[in-house]
Every structure is written in structure tokens, then in C-alpha cells.
Amino acid sequence: MIGEKITQELISAGNDVTIGARNTIAAQSKFPGRSIKKVDVLDPLTVLPAIDGQEMVCICLSPDRTASKKDPMPEREGIQNILSASKKMN
């Protein structure tokens, strides 16, 4: 939702954008011809390859509205996974 709008604005402004998505087919249909990397922020093994070599990362995550407080949350564990991966890059 908001990630799509931000991505489109970055592309329209002439930025070279790499898109990270769980569903790469959907992302490719929305942004044809763009670089798409498969990433699930709740899976730490997918995060580092997705952000490696990127100059900047814009994070737009949305929670599962039916999830309970005990369920993994992208904005909680996902951010932790992204931060951990970025520390390994430096």
C-alpha cells in the first residue's frame, strides 16, 4: 500500500530502486523491469542477501491485523532482522 506509493515516487524521481518483496511475482507485475529481490523480514536468512550492496533501505512493513501479540510481527522481529543484517555488512 504505502510501500508501493513510496517506491513509485522513488522511481519517478529517477532513483535506481531495488525492490524487496515476499511475493516477487506480484512485485514484478507492479514494477516491471525493476530489480526485485525475494525477502521475508521474518526470515533472517533472506534479509542480508536482499540488502547487501544497497546504498539505502526504505522499510515499509504492515502487520497482520489478525495476529496476536505473541505472533511474530514484521515491525518488531522484522526490524531486528534488518538491523542485524545491516550490522554484518559493515
Side-chain angles (χ1 to χ4, degrees), residues 12-52:
S12 295
N15 293 288
D16 183 18
V17 176
T18 300
I19 299 158
R22 285 176 294 193
N23 185 338
T24 56
I25 294 169
Q28 192 63 54
S29 71
K30 292 174 185 170
F31 303 103
R34 298 293 166 177
S35 173
I36 310 284
K37 292 188 177 185
K38 183 158 182 71
V39 62
D40 179 351
V41 296
L42 295 176
D43 179 358
L45 297 177
T46 69
V47 176
L48 184 56
I51 66 171
D52 189 38

Side-chain angles (χ1 to χ4, degrees), residues 42-83:
L42 295 176
D43 179 358
L45 297 177
T46 69
V47 176
L48 184 56
I51 66 171
D52 189 38
Q54 301 303 312
E55 189 174 317
M56 182 181 93
V57 176
C58 176
I59 305 165
C60 300
L61 302 171
S62 58
D64 178 352
R65 296 178 195 262
T66 62
S68 73
K69 290 183 179 184
K70 293 182 180 181
D71 290 332
M73 296 283 185
E75 67 278 7
R76 188 176 55 219
E77 289 84 2
I79 295 292
Q80 260 322 91
N81 290 337
I82 294 167
L83 292 172

